[in-house]
Amino acid sequence: MYKFGLIGYPLSHSMSKIIQEAAFKSVGLEGTYEILETEQEDLVSRIKYLRAYGFQGFNVTIPLKVPITLFLSGVDNVANIAGSANTIKIMPDSSLYGYNTDVYGFVEAIPEDFREEIAGKEVAIIGNGGAARAVAVGLSILKASKIDFYVRNIINASDMVSSLRENFPSIQMNCIQIESLNDLSKYKILVNTTPIGMRSKAMGISPIDEDVVKTMNKDSIIYDIVYNPLKTELIKMAKKHGIPTIQGLDMLIYQGAKAFEIWTGKKPDTLKMKIAALEEMVD
């Protein structure tokens, strides 16, 4: 029987247990998935717990996607480039191997025809955490010409941007104070990677003002990786002004399905995973 889990904080909003249980059912496997709230100072003791109690793998979310990399014996190429990991496999010798399935999930949620439109275009990311790194790698793979990171603390973000520049030297990357963001018209896609707008964190708040949102072109996309609630304040404002949107649930499903496949070798039914999440959220 398989045993997986999720670590991070806070986790009361998480749908990971619901979608992973649906994944087990969809392929006929038995297993459990536990939600294990873990603050950064408790990471070492949590890893010991996961090893001691027979877990074969676990997911990692805010704020541990970057700190977890210090405990890994190896990582896949995507996690290496992103400098963050969200999926961990516990090997037979108890060592930890890291993957970044966020990159896959982020890209997979973008409509195929729009992915092609990103090539050669300017894009923007709000935030500079582990999710922002994954999104930047995804947009780099899609050949964006320039990525602007809008952040609260430029000094904290500079190491991340320097690392990404080394891996993608042909793409211009800049760190800009979030307060300077007042016009989105030049961007093909804007991605919120912060937890602002998330249930139990800052629900009902948008990372940017409506006056800024409405400057986005109607042939561009606003993408919020926050998935609970389904319609964040940012998504609501974009829809109000006729701007196409991508909600975070699809990214969650696709990254979760990829993690499940890494752990079990089986491809789960993503539609059944999504239906399970929607049913839970409607209730």
Side-chain angles (χ1 to χ4, degrees):
M1 183 161 145
Y2 290 100
K3 194 173 182 180
F4 308 128
L6 171 68
I7 67 170
Y9 187 88
L11 298 180
S12 59
H13 69 285
S14 178
M15 286 289 120
S16 290
K17 181 177 174 68
I18 302 299
I19 67 168
Q20 294 296 353
E21 286 177 347
F24 279 123
K25 285 181 185 174
S26 77
V27 295
L29 290 177
E30 284 194 23
T32 61
Y33 190 95
E34 296 184 24
I35 302 297
L36 302 162
E37 286 205 328
T38 307
E39 297 194 57
Q40 196 158 333
E41 59 266 30
D42 300 320
L43 181 55
V44 172
S45 59
R46 179 61 76 195
I47 290 170
K48 289 178 181 176
Y49 171 87
L50 292 162
R51 284 171 167 154
Y53 285 88
F55 286 77
Q56 293 106 344
F58 58 97
N59 286 126
V60 184
T61 190
I62 294 171
L64 304 176
K65 292 181 182 184
V66 176
I68 192 67
T69 59
L70 298 172
F71 302 92
L72 306 179
S73 60
V75 293
D76 73 338
N77 188 49
V78 180
N80 184 46
I81 293 170
S84 65
N86 73 304
T87 297
I88 311 299
K89 189 171 186 177
I90 301 179
M91 311 303 283
D93 65 357
S94 290
S95 64
L96 307 179
Y97 196 91
Y99 301 82
N100 192 310
T101 65
D102 278 338
V103 175
Y104 171 82
F106 168 73
V107 173
E108 196 68 15
I110 300 173
E112 266 189 68
D113 55 347
F114 191 83
R115 290 178 213 169
E116 296 171 7
E117 293 183 36
I118 291 172
K121 301 295 197 309
E122 295 184 35
V123 299
I125 296 172
I126 302 173
N128 64 292
R133 293 167 185 250
V135 167
V137 172
L139 292 172
S140 298
I141 291 168
L142 294 175
K143 299 181 180 176
S145 63
K146 180 183 175 187
I147 302 175
D148 286 339
F149 293 88
Y150 287 93
V151 301
R152 284 183 297 177
N153 191 319
I154 289 176
I155 294 171
N156 286 351
S158 58
D159 285 347
M160 172 197 71
V161 174
S162 296
S163 174
L164 288 166
R165 281 179 184 142
E166 287 177 17
N167 286 289
F168 300 101
S170 64
I171 299 173
Q172 188 180 342
M173 298 188 188
N174 302 304
C175 257
I176 306 167
Q177 202 76 36
I178 183 72
E179 289 80 9
S180 303
L181 182 55
N182 52 33
D183 186 359
L184 299 173
S185 60
K186 65 180 178 179
Y187 297 120
K188 195 64 185 173
I189 188 168
L190 168 79
V191 187
N192 174 43
T193 69
T194 75
I196 295 172
M198 184 173 78
R199 191 180 301 278
S200 82
K201 191 82 173 177
M203 194 166 128
I205 299 172
S206 171
I208 52 176
D209 293 334
E210 187 169 350
D211 285 344
V212 180
V213 171
K214 67 185 183 184
T215 64
M216 195 83 171
N217 289 325
K218 302 296 190 291
D219 62 350
S220 297
I221 282 179
I222 288 180
Y223 188 152
D224 195 340
I225 73 166
V226 172
Y227 62 85
N228 191 357
L230 280 171
K231 289 184 181 177
T232 61
E233 200 63 27
L234 177 61
I235 293 291
K236 287 177 184 175
M237 290 192 301
K239 286 182 177 293
K240 176 181 173 182
H241 293 284
I243 301 157
T245 62
I246 298 174
Q247 295 162 231
L249 185 59
D250 283 340
M251 177 177 171
L252 175 79
I253 300 298
Y254 289 124
Q255 68 79 24
K258 181 61 76 174
F260 187 88
E261 186 181 349
I262 287 167
W263 293 327
T264 67
K266 304 278 188 183
K267 285 190 175 184
D269 188 322
T270 53
L271 180 57
K272 288 181 178 177
M273 293 168 73
K274 185 171 184 178
I275 289 169
L278 289 170
E279 285 176 347
E280 179 72 15
M281 293 168 96
V282 167
D283 290 347

